[in-house]
Amino acid sequence: MSEREKQTRFLKELIRTEHCEELETLQAQIIKAERDERCIRSALWLMLVLALLSAAGLGYSAVFVREFFENATPAIVKVFSALVLASMICLVGFLGFWFWTRQICNRLYEDCRNLIISLHRPPSPPRQPAPACGICCPCLAIRIKCTQL
């Protein structure tokens, strides 16, 4: 299990312990983003396998098809070439989309962390107004005396 997966698992456990409407909406968004990321990752693997199989087919065609280096390109070579090209284009597109969804997941995790931290932070005590005279605070007394001169 990677460090990212450990942190994600811990974050999900923290979400389950809290009962906040904002956390529930964030959890729904996280579930959707993770599902999208898994789907894109599987599409990436599919395109990678297709590209490798097509490249292997193209390589075997170069070895076993006699007319491979002649002017008239055999149909099987055209098919394998088209598959390699199409799968590489899709691979680049899916890779960019995967990075984008990964960035969305990271942003959602960060929002969730910040919300959990804000829920667990003790409320700050009310601020005391600054004294009007210099009697209560010696540093203010010095300032008042300096400004009155």
Side-chain angles (χ1 to χ4, degrees):
M1 185 179 283
S2 70
E3 187 66 28
R4 184 179 199 277
E5 290 171 345
K6 289 177 186 176
Q7 289 179 2
T8 303
R9 185 180 226 179
F10 179 69
L11 187 63
K12 286 181 181 180
E13 288 298 321
L14 285 176
I15 291 172
R16 283 191 201 116
T17 60
E18 294 294 326
H19 299 289
C20 176
E21 188 174 318
E22 292 177 59
L23 277 175
E24 290 173 5
T25 58
L26 271 175
Q27 185 178 17
Q29 290 175 351
I30 287 172
I31 289 170
K32 183 185 178 304
E34 286 176 343
R35 185 179 59 237
D36 291 346
E37 185 181 356
R38 278 192 308 271
C39 181
I40 293 166
R41 192 172 43 229
S42 65
L44 265 170
W45 281 110
L46 180 65
M47 286 301 112
L48 184 66
V49 168
L50 183 63
L52 291 175
L53 289 175
S54 300
L58 194 59
Y60 280 115
S61 296
V63 172
F64 293 121
V65 176
R66 291 182 190 169
E67 302 89 24
F68 186 80
F69 294 108
E70 295 178 7
N71 290 339
T73 307
I76 192 73
V77 174
K78 289 181 183 179
V79 168
F80 281 132
S81 298
L83 278 174
V84 167
L85 181 64
S87 59
M88 286 299 183
I89 290 171
C90 289
L91 193 65
V92 169
F94 286 148
L95 192 64
F97 193 52
W98 180 66
F99 282 132
W100 181 63
T101 55
R102 185 85 174 212
Q103 193 175 32
I104 289 173
C105 281
N106 288 339
R107 182 183 50 82
L108 286 171
Y109 293 148
E110 187 64 30
D111 291 347
C112 195
R113 279 187 210 102
N114 290 337
L115 185 60
I116 288 173
I117 288 171
S118 69
L119 289 174
H120 287 277
R121 183 174 293 148
S124 59
R127 297 183 113 195
Q128 298 288 333
C133 65
I135 299 171
C136 298
C137 182
C139 60
L140 286 177
I142 294 171
R143 279 193 219 141
I144 291 173
K145 288 179 183 174
C146 291
T147 58
Q148 290 176 351
L149 294 175

